[in-house]
């Protein structure tokens, strides 16, 4: 049996309470450049995902991006533009959750999305929403298509506002980060507007 957990949160003016409910807030962060080499570290190795954990994770993130944009297009919405800064923050946080063995919008040290964006000192965004997906099991189908289908389907069928966040007409940019370790996959998606 596959165990899947999804959460969504954001920062700014709270529209709903709780970690699993959607929330949106306004945000201002000064612009600066970010180097992903300084934020994302790890050891690449062979596993059930194939020759490279990095390649598998990158392909999952890319395929989620394409799949979400297809769903948005079907619903008459503009496609999301990939944002490098959001991607670095998303990937770094997925990595933190995998290596720190936790899952949620708050890291064990109390850092939330606003703190992570502030630490990265990335460009100004009007709002950013965070959606998380996590699955663990010895029987995960380690194919990109199955992983992407499971993540996106869980978000679209979620009664807790994940579909609304993915289909938010005001969302214009996205960053997606996937991390894998042993028998666990974690995906962080950050949807925003500049």
């Amino acid at each position: 049996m596959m165990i899947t957990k999804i959460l969504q949160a954001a920062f700014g003016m709270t529209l709903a309470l709780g970690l699993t409910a959607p929330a949106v807030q306004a945000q201002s962060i000064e612009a600066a450049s970010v180097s992903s080499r300084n934020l994302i570290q790890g050891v690449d190795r062979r596993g059930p995902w194939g020759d490279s954990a990095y390649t598998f994770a990158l392909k999952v993130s890319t395929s989620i991006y394409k799949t979400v944009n297809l769903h948005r297009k079907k619903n008459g919405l503009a496609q999301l533009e990939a944002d490098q800064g959001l991607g670095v923050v998303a990937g770094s946080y997925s990595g933190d959750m995998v290596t720190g063995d936790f899952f949620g919008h708050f890291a064990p040290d109390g850092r939330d999305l606003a703190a992570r964006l502030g630490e990265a000192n990335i460009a100004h965004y009007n709002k950013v929403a965070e959606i998380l997906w996590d699955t663990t099991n010895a029987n995960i189908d380690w194919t990109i298509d199955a992983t992407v289908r499971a993540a996106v389907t869980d978000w679209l069928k979620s009664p807790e506002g994940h579909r609304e966040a993915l289909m938010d007409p005001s969302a214009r940019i996205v960053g997606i980060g996937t991390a894998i370790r042993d028998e666990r996959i974690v995906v962080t998606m950050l949807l925003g507007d500049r």
Side-chain angles (χ1 to χ4, degrees):
M1 176 177 177
M2 185 181 294
I3 300 168
T4 304
K5 296 181 277 186
I6 55 177
L7 293 175
Q8 177 193 347
F11 54 91
M13 188 173 117
T14 302
L15 300 177
L17 299 175
L19 288 178
T20 59
V24 177
Q25 292 188 343
Q27 170 69 13
S28 294
I29 297 175
E30 296 302 315
S33 63
V34 175
S35 170
S36 62
R37 283 178 279 174
N38 296 333
L39 295 176
I40 301 173
Q41 300 175 358
V43 177
D44 198 8
R45 66 183 176 88
R46 182 169 181 67
W49 47 81
D51 289 335
S52 168
Y54 174 80
T55 300
F56 181 86
L58 181 62
K59 287 181 178 179
V60 166
S61 293
T62 301
S63 189
I64 286 174
Y65 171 72
K66 291 176 182 177
T67 303
V68 167
N69 271 331
L70 284 173
H71 283 282
R72 287 178 61 88
K73 186 176 181 179
K74 282 187 215 176
N75 286 281
L77 299 169
Q79 291 191 11
L80 299 168
E81 176 186 330
D83 183 90
Q84 182 180 3
L86 291 180
V88 168
V89 173
S92 181
Y93 193 55
S94 288
D96 287 351
M97 286 188 280
V98 164
T99 59
D101 198 27
F102 72 94
F103 182 74
H105 297 290
F106 294 91
D109 63 5
R111 288 179 306 124
D112 63 1
L113 176 59
R116 292 191 302 275
L117 290 170
E119 289 167 4
N121 195 27
I122 59 175
H124 170 80
Y125 299 102
N126 292 327
K127 67 178 182 178
V128 176
E130 177 177 75
I131 302 173
L132 306 175
W133 183 81
D134 176 88
T135 189
T136 57
N137 190 314
N139 297 316
I140 292 172
D141 180 350
W142 286 99
T143 65
I144 292 155
D145 288 345
T147 302
V148 170
R149 186 170 32 276
V152 174
T153 299
D154 284 351
W155 286 330
L156 290 173
K157 290 185 175 183
S158 167
E160 298 168 345
H162 299 89
R163 177 183 178 78
E164 289 78 7
L166 290 175
M167 299 300 150
D168 182 351
S170 68
R172 298 284 185 250
I173 55 177
V174 66
I176 304 167
T178 300
I180 61 174
R181 182 178 182 190
D182 300 324
E183 296 176 4
R184 183 173 183 209
I185 303 170
V186 176
V187 178
T188 301
M189 178 184 286
L190 301 177
L191 300 131
D193 181 26
R194 293 185 220 203

